[in-house]
Each structure stands twice: as structure tokens, then as C-alpha cells.
Amino acid sequence: MRHSRLAAWGPLLVVAAVAMAIYLPLVVVANYPLAARTLARGATLPCDSALACTFFLRNPVLPAPNQLLGGILALSWPPGAPYALPLNAWWTAIETVVGLSLAATVGFLFAVLLVLSRAFQLSVLPWIVASQTVPIVALAPMLVVLLGRYGVQGWLPKAIIAAYIAFFPITIGLAKGLQSPDRLALDLMKTWNATTFQVFMRLRIPASLPFLFTALKVSTAAALIGAIVGEMSTISFAGLGKMLSENARASDVVGTWVLMLACALLGILLIAVVDLVERLVTPWRR
Amino acid sequence: MTLADTPAVASAPRERTGDPALVSVRAVSMVYADGTVALENATLDVGAGEFVSLIGPSGCGKTTLLRLLADLAEPTSGTIAIAGRSPAEARRARAYGYVFQAPTLMDWRTVRGNVLLPLEVMGFPKAEREERARRMLALVGLERFADHYPWQLSGGMQQRVSIARALAFDPQLLFMDEPFGALDEITRENLNLELLRLWRETGKTVIFVTHSIPEAVFLSTRIVVMTPRPGKIETVIPVDLPQPRSFETRETRRFFELATEVREALRRGHGFEVED
């Protein structure tokens, strides 16, 4: 708000320009040998020199910007088609957001228990830590099979996998935040004869909000990866992860790069939403 | 009264009110788990309406004594009565407001919200809460800043909010632990004057911890001089400067005499030794 539009977008555009300045020569260098060989084989390409053809190979080593743009457009219309990015990104987003909500609920409960009970901290915290060291790729199919036995199918198991990864940063961040009020603030509440519940509602929880949002941003990225890995490592009918595994099987280099871009974009979008909510919920911050 | 026959443990002179002591401390000691004697055999009476300062170097037990009165710590031995009740009962009855060294305002609440906080905790009806907060902010001259967040205020203004908050639920007693210690000298002198005005207007009993001799002399009706290792009450000095006091009070001969008396009492108790 204090910045003009140019001031906000300027640095971003500079970085984009620098990225392009590095990326374009890389495309040429990476694809040149393949382009030369393909031309020598007499393949039909919409170009006549090896240099020009580095931008038009069917399966390039590194896709050119024009190919990425073409790939995005081809995968975007109609948006509701089973192969289209918008529909699949939508399902991945749903899984991520539901997973995050689940993670926030569980994380909050754990954090409160960690703060209230030394016994809980000693007995359960090591298990919480251990849960995060299990490779999610190994765990995801097991979880899906297990949940499937109880009729939980479709996107929900992926949301649960996302939650499994995302609850950890939220638990640790919130526990830290709930313990952030200093001795004096707690003494002050005591002089007013405040109950433990009042201390939570009026001191610990508001004080933990900045910590919560920092943790939520980390967790959003983690939940998105969880949802995508969940889709990739199990049978899926929708989602960016499903598209990624199909593309990998088809050795579609351009498609895979387009999907990676889509995942990154979805991540930026989701974190921007968390950032917006943070501004709304913590208006007192500078 | 000569310095030599000042009793080491003093009982309250009752000339101000004649009431029985509002705060009564009897042979109170406080020893920490590591054996440190924070306070040894302290006896003190404070009458209703008094302004009593506890002065002394770090480690003399002045903050400890205040925390014991507020039931934020428990004495190892001795008894404390506040209006005939134990400190715990007095705390539950919300008999005192406490102002700390730091303003300890809640970042997420506006100035008004901070003053409202104790009233919400204590379950005052909404209309009364708003009315009291408005009155308290007027009392400390911060009505115009009611909707500001703490970070938008200077340190002195933040501490005034903290005082308004402590007075919001109208406690009999105000405990203040070096409330102006972190402020610059000019702000401190202004707030001293304002605090005296508040004290006069509200009729509260104030127990005030400080390590500034001029501040203690300017504010108090009596000064309790404390000395360290072990923390104990060295002497109690009545302050007979006339009320109401003003900036000129600091320039009177009597002010200097009293400041000298406090300084000598501190020296007698080794209060000027290097702190460890």
C-alpha cells in the first residue's frame, strides 16, 4: 500500500529478466547436439538450422519458453477437461487446503497439550518427531490401502497425506507461539486472577498468531508436496500429481516442465492466500 | 530525629490517616532454593492513602517484597496481611493493580483494548467496561490515542496506558515496580508529577519500587531504604515535603536534605558497594 505498483512489480520483473538471460543460452547449449543430430537424420522440423531448432525439438533436453507457453495453452483449454491443468490443479488445491485445515486442527491440539503438560511433551513429542522421518513416498500407498479398507477413497486420502506432513511445522510453531508471552505478561494475568482458559484465550493464543502464520506458510508448501506425492504414489483420477506420473510414463519432457511450473504457481497462489488471511487476522502488525 | 536513632525496623507513623495498617508485613523472610536470602526479617506497615517507596540497589529485595505482597511469590517465613487478608485472598479479591518495569501491553490490542483487558477477565458488564476504559484513558490523558496500537506510542505513553490498565478495576492498592526505570529523565519527571496527581485524585495507596533517590523523595510520604546481601530494610524515612508537590519542590532545601538522608542511609547499609 505504501509502495506503488511499479515498486512492487519492478524487482520481480528484474529477476524474471535475469532468469531469462540465463535460461535462453542454456536452452541453446543443452539442445544443440540433439538438434544437430535430429536435422542430420532428416527429420521434419519447422526450422532449418541446428541453432533455430534448439527451440522446436519434439522432446528437448530443456524446453524453450515458446514450447512451455504452447504446452500451458494446450493443457488449459477447456479448463474442465480431464487432461486440463485448471481442473487437476483445482483437485490438488482442495486436497492441500483440506489437508492444511486438518493439520491446523491436529497441530493446535498437540501444541496446547505440549504447553499444558510436561508429561505429554516427554511422552509424545519424540513420536511426533519420528513420524516426520518416515519417507512419505513409502508411507503414502500404505495409508491409501489402509484408508481404502474403511471406504475412504478419492481425494480424501491425499488430503490426509498432506495433513500428515503439514501438522508438524504447525505443532512446533504453535507450541513456540503459545509459550511466547513473557513472565511479566503471565504475572499480569495472575494479578487479575485470570483462569488458565482466560490466559489461553486472551494472552497465549493471540500471542501465537504470528508464529502460527509463519508455520502455516511452511506447512502450505509441505502440504502441497504431500498432496502431489500422494497423487503420484497411489491410484489417482485427478490432480497435478496424477498428471506428473502420466507424463513421466509418456516421457513428455515439455509436459513435465509445464506441470512443474503449474505446481510452483499453485504453491505461490496458496501461500499468497495464507498471507492475505494473515493480514486480515493480525491487523496490528506493522 | 537524628539518623543515629532511626530504628532499623520501623512501624508506620499513622499521622496521615490514623487508620489501622492497610498493608502489614511481619518478620517476612524469603530464601530461594539456592540459599540466596532475597529478604530477611522485613517488618513494615503501610496505612491507607500512603505513598511508600522501596529504594535500594539491585539485590536488596525491593522487588521481592512487592512480589510477596502481590502473591506472585510466597515468603519462606513471616506473615503478610492486606486489609486483614492474606496476599492470595487479596489477589483473588482484586485488591491491587500491578505496574511492571516494562509496560507489558498486548501488541494485538489497541490502547483501549489493553485497558479493557482486566475488565474483560474480571467479567465487568460491557457498558461499564467501556465507560471505565474511557474514564481511565482521560485520567492519564490518552483519550486521543485510544485506537492506536502500542507500537505507535512512545515508552512514556505506553507506561501511562499500563497505569490506566492497573487502575481500571479500581483497586485499593497500586503496586509499581520501577515503572519509569526505562524512561529518560525528562519523561520520568513529567510522569512523576502526573503520578502524584493521579494519587491525589484517586486516593489510592501506592507502594513504589525505585532505585532513583530524587524520584523516591519527590513522590513518597515515606521511603523504605533497603540494603542487599541479605536483602533487608535498613530504615524508614518519613518525607515531610508539603503537598501538592510541583517541579519547584525538587529545588527546595528540604528536598536536598531528604535526598542526602536517603543517600546516607543507603551508604550505612553498604548500598553503594559494587554490585555483583
Side-chain angles (χ1 to χ4, degrees), chain A residues 187 190 192 198 202 284, chain B residues 67 91 94 120-121 151:
Chain A
D187 278 348
K190 191 181 175 188
W192 302 332
Q198 282 174 327
R202 299 186 191 278
W284 65 85
Chain B
R67 290 180 63 85
R91 179 173 64 80
R94 284 130 182 181
E120 289 171 16
V121 168
W151 64 268

Side-chain angles (χ1 to χ4, degrees), chain B residues 200-233:
Chain B
R200 270 200 316 278
E201 287 176 12
T202 60
K204 303 293 177 204
T205 306
V206 182
I207 300 184
F208 188 96
V209 166
T210 181
H211 46 220
S212 159
I213 295 171
E215 186 172 63
V217 174
F218 182 72
L219 290 173
S220 316
T221 56
R222 275 193 303 150
I223 299 173
V224 178
V225 179
M226 301 181 71
T227 51
R229 282 176 301 277
K232 61 179 186 344
I233 295 176

Side-chain angles (χ1 to χ4, degrees), chain A residues 182-185 187-195 198 202-203 206-207 283-286, chain B residues 67 71-72 91-92 94 96 100 104 106-109 117-118 120-122 149 151 165 169:
Chain A
D182 63 13
R183 192 66 242 165
L184 291 187
D187 278 348
L188 195 62
M189 296 299 280
K190 191 181 175 188
T191 68
W192 302 332
N193 201 25
T195 62
Q198 282 174 327
R202 299 186 191 278
L203 177 60
W284 65 85
R285 302 176 77 200
R286 272 158 269 197
Chain B
R67 290 180 63 85
D71 188 41
L72 293 176
R91 179 173 64 80
R92 283 195 287 273
R94 284 130 182 181
Y96 67 84
F100 292 97
T104 324
M106 310 299 163
D107 300 337
W108 53 90
R109 284 177 171 252
L117 183 56
E120 289 171 16
V121 168
M122 295 173 189
Y149 283 106
W151 64 268
R165 179 180 60 187
F169 52 98

